[in-house]
Amino acid sequence: MVSEPPPPPEAESSVFDARYARRRLALDTAGRRLLFGLSVAAFVALLLFGPGGSPAAVVAAVGVLAVWLALGFAGARTMRELPALGGLLDRDPDAGEARLDELRRQKLLPRWVRLMLLHRLAVLRHRQQRFAESAAIAQTVLTTARPGPAATHRGHLLLLLAEARLELRDLPGAWLALTELHRRPVGLHEALQRLALRTRYELAVGRPDAAVVGIGQKVALAELMPGPQCGALHAMLAAAARDAGHDDWHRALWPRVELLCGADQLAQMRGSGLI
């Protein structure tokens, strides 16, 4: 019986595999450590024996140093490209994803650079409404990131993870993400997003009474959001007020909801059970 041929190397744009991603991170780390050790040994050998040593040894030492320097330049080039990659994904998602795939195929990237590329992929999958993948990618980055540049985006990844899990009706998972979010300091923008996700979670678990606690302050904070997000939070708070028996707040908020939300947005929110 002829065995099946081995599968081709995983296309970076295929369905996300957390084990494969962790394996790539481990190989990056191990390979870079090995090359660093070899480059240090080669440098010491050149200092001790000089160019008068064995020609083969000198060539090997210079080769190792050259490979290490090339890896450093490649990592720096990818790092510089990260801001432009975000803009490209906004303007042209297809071209941005193709470039993201090219960057992710590079070998022996610095750990934080590969994690930042995964972060970009999580955002892209979220925009594509591939929520299971965006949640898996965000969870992988959150559980493998160490202190450094990638860890500074932890708040955004937790917001993405909480929203993806709400979309997937994974309420325990959403609660875990929201709980960690409440334990960490966040800026105003992330605090507003956290408020909207928490309100959505409270409605999903049947706790409108929790959603209306401090409703006046929540309404004031909603006014700081862009129009669609402001309207969505007003609608959720109005629904919570109605279900919790606060008819005065429901009557006060609903005209604002109709002003801010279009018919399509309201229909979508009703269809998803938010209001």
Side-chain angles (χ1 to χ4, degrees), residues 129-188:
Q129 299 187 6
R130 293 165 62 172
F131 297 114
E133 285 184 73
S134 69
I137 299 166
Q139 183 67 41
T140 299
V141 177
L142 286 166
T143 54
T144 55
R146 299 168 182 167
T152 61
H153 297 272
R154 191 170 187 86
H156 181 259
L157 282 163
L158 285 167
L159 288 167
L160 186 149
L161 179 60
E163 184 173 15
R165 285 177 168 170
L166 284 170
E167 290 287 347
L168 296 167
R169 305 294 192 269
D170 177 7
L171 299 180
W175 179 83
L176 289 172
L178 288 169
T179 298
E180 185 172 347
L181 268 170
H182 278 277
R183 291 174 180 161
R184 55 183 295 111
V186 294
L188 176 61

Side-chain angles (χ1 to χ4, degrees), residues 184-203:
R184 55 183 295 111
V186 294
L188 176 61
H189 180 66
E190 289 182 337
L192 293 173
Q193 292 179 288
R194 183 179 63 187
L195 172 60
L197 290 172
R198 176 181 171 180
T199 304
R200 180 176 173 182
Y201 169 80
E202 289 166 342
L203 288 173

Side-chain angles (χ1 to χ4, degrees), residues 22-142:
R22 290 192 175 96
R23 189 162 63 248
R24 289 293 298 270
L25 286 164
L27 288 172
D28 285 342
T29 301
R32 291 180 66 84
R33 286 176 178 174
L34 176 61
L35 277 173
F36 178 74
L38 290 174
S39 65
V40 170
F43 182 72
V44 171
L46 286 176
L47 288 178
L48 291 176
F49 301 108
S54 167
V58 172
V59 170
V62 172
V64 170
L65 289 171
V67 171
W68 177 251
L69 289 173
L71 280 176
F73 286 129
R77 186 169 57 250
T78 303
M79 176 186 66
R80 290 195 301 271
E81 193 169 339
L82 286 173
L85 178 63
L88 180 60
L89 287 167
D90 290 336
R91 296 189 309 272
D92 188 342
D94 291 338
E97 183 168 5
R99 183 55 184 156
L100 178 58
D101 290 344
E102 292 175 7
L103 294 174
R104 291 179 61 223
R105 279 193 289 269
Q106 294 184 65
K107 307 297 184 183
L108 303 186
L109 285 172
R111 182 184 184 86
W112 75 267
V113 172
R114 190 170 296 284
L115 288 171
M116 292 297 292
L117 292 174
L118 286 174
H119 184 186
R120 297 291 192 277
L121 182 63
V123 173
L124 177 64
R125 293 291 180 258
H126 204 74
R127 291 175 182 169
Q128 295 169 336
Q129 299 187 6
R130 293 165 62 172
F131 297 114
E133 285 184 73
S134 69
I137 299 166
Q139 183 67 41
T140 299
V141 177
L142 286 166

